[in-house]
Amino acid sequence: MPAKSKYRRDFCRMARVACREGFSDAKLAELLGVAKSTVQQWRREKPEFARAVTDGKRTFDGRVERALYRRAVGFSVAEVTRKRVPVTREDGTTALEVKEERVVRKRVPPDPGAAKEWLSKRSAPADELAGLSDAELAARVKALEVELDR
């Protein structure tokens, strides 16, 4: 008689959330209290679990891709500096209060290493997309459009 599976339906939600945060299959297995091979088996045998893992990883990969793109082309960031001065209150205690606040926009220059990485990743989609059905391609296009609208 085969051993009872440790799989529970709430693992789907846990897997989706964990994978959105960048968990690998090994880390996911650790979180769920099973072996990495068990996670891989569930991905093959449980469509809802496979979807949850794939959706979560796709979300994380999109975040990483956007961050890599920003590093590759450079970006601006607002830096806030505050000058604080000691002030004596009516009750005799001293506190620091903000006297002056300055916002300075700084430009982070493009990173050639990130640009090289970005360009090397851009050639991969053709191979990755080759085996997808029309419906899967349409879903990928829709997901990209949603990401671009953010």
Side-chain angles (χ1 to χ4, degrees):
M1 180 175 200
K4 185 174 186 233
S5 175
K6 293 183 177 182
Y7 181 78
R8 300 189 327 246
R9 278 189 110 31
D10 65 328
F11 283 174
C12 288
R13 185 181 51 77
M14 293 169 69
R16 182 175 287 111
V17 170
C19 290
R20 280 183 188 154
E21 296 305 313
F23 277 50
S24 64
D25 283 357
K27 285 290 186 188
L28 179 59
E30 189 178 314
L31 173 72
L32 301 177
V34 298
K36 179 182 171 185
S37 60
T38 302
V39 166
Q40 293 168 337
Q41 178 183 355
W42 290 344
R43 289 182 71 182
R44 287 189 305 274
E45 296 175 358
K46 311 272 187 206
E48 68 280 2
F49 185 77
R51 255 189 320 278
V53 170
T54 301
D55 290 349
K57 287 186 177 197
R58 190 173 291 142
T59 299
F60 182 77
D61 290 349
R63 285 176 35 210
V64 170
E65 187 174 89
R66 286 188 296 278
L68 179 60
Y69 171 79
R70 285 186 51 168
R71 289 291 311 260
V73 300
F75 58 96
S76 293
V77 62
E79 184 178 277
V80 179
T81 57
R82 294 176 180 92
K83 183 175 182 181
R84 297 176 189 264
V85 294
V87 175
T88 304
R89 296 182 181 156
E90 290 179 14
D91 63 1
T93 61
T94 303
L96 291 177
E97 287 188 6
V98 176
K99 180 179 180 183
E100 181 182 321
E101 183 173 277
R102 286 184 20 179
V103 178
V104 178
R105 299 237 13 116
K106 291 194 173 183
R107 178 83 180 140
V108 177
D111 176 348
K116 183 177 179 183
E117 181 71 17
W118 174 261
L119 291 172
S120 73
K121 298 294 183 199
R122 298 309 291 166
S123 60
D127 299 336
E128 181 185 313
L129 300 176
L132 297 179
S133 70
D134 289 347
E136 290 169 322
L137 281 172
R140 291 286 297 272
V141 168
K142 182 81 170 158
L144 289 171
E145 288 172 344
V146 167
E147 282 185 29
L148 289 172
D149 289 340
R150 288 185 194 171

